[in-house]
Amino acid sequence: MSNKILLECDHLKKYFDTPQGMLHAVDDVSFRLEEGKTLGVVGESGCGKSTLGRTILGLLPSSEGRILFDGEDITHVKKHDMLRLRREMQIIFQDPFSSLDPKMSVYQIIEEPLKIHKIYKSKEERAKRVAELMDIVGLDERYVNTYPHELDGGRRQRIGVARALALNPRFIICDEPVSALDVSIQAQILNLMMDLKEEMGLTYIFITHDLSVVKHISDDILVLYLGKMVEMTDSDRLFENPLHPYTKALLSAIPIPDISYKGKEAEVMTGEVTSPVEPPEGCRFAARCPMAQERCFQVSPEFHEVEEHHFVACHLYSNE
Ligand code: SF4
């Protein structure tokens, strides 16, 4: 696989104006994602990970910063260009039940993007493609005329994957795609997604609150806390040698059989979560961090490389 950069976020910010003040949902996020790779984006609910995904796809306008896709600046693209980009950039949502129209059959749901983008001229060509997509995602053809409520969660998510693949995208944002599913079904969908990545050379951003889910699927993992990047490195290193106190706390919350980060006591996070609305100066994790020093409440730690390809924002690892 090439080392071509497919997606680049450069100091990306997404703020929301609320009655209480400016909510910093995504705050200065920068990374580069190579073609064919998977970036896991992890953090608790409300850390901005889904907002980041939606901002990258243009579903939400960014507040600051730049997004480059295959070298093209897509930060403020026009509607017409967005339609073209939509073929290349897709999303799979968390809850297959609420993201699929209950009034549409499996056939109609998978066919819809083909109709919107007018990729196939005839009905027969579209039918052939729908059958092909159902086969790719492991959905038996007997389900073609069924409706989402007649299927279990795993099959519904296979429809979501088929729909996302319909236009032959190069890049897919997977937003908590398995969190609504039973653990046994989760593994099936994750395996399907990994196989598709290999076979089709797809590039993923895989968003989840559950670190154990992204361990095997991700090349790199980015940990977000209240909109800020706190740690980023390759998946193996993050599990073997996490540096940021927040990452350590997330890892220690995973049941032991699932992780290689062993021999550590479970770290319970105490303290109030800092508000993302007009957040105060200093480290956003300070109120919950067992290692916090006075400086942590006054100065924001820089996100910087502390060893090769291992980035952290924490005063414990700063040189100043
Ligand atoms: Fe904890 Fe301070 Fe590091 Fe923030 S900067 S994670 S408060 S030690």
Side-chain angles (χ1 to χ4, degrees), residues 230 243-246 282-297 299-302 312-317:
V230 297
L243 296 180
H244 197 282
Y246 177 60
C283 173
R284 289 191 190 165
F285 189 54
R288 297 170 86 191
C289 180
M291 310 297 287
Q293 311 140 25
E294 209 182 315
R295 182 170 178 230
C296 302
F297 291 90
V299 183
S300 286
E302 291 275 316
V312 181
C314 175
H315 290 310
L316 296 175
Y317 306 97

Side-chain angles (χ1 to χ4, degrees), residues 204-224:
Y204 290 147
I205 284 187
F206 201 101
I207 294 170
T208 176
H209 66 283
D210 184 352
L211 256 172
S212 60
V213 161
V214 277
K215 183 178 181 199
H216 299 294
I217 202 166
S218 304
D219 295 289
D220 280 356
I221 295 180
L222 162 63
V223 183
L224 286 182

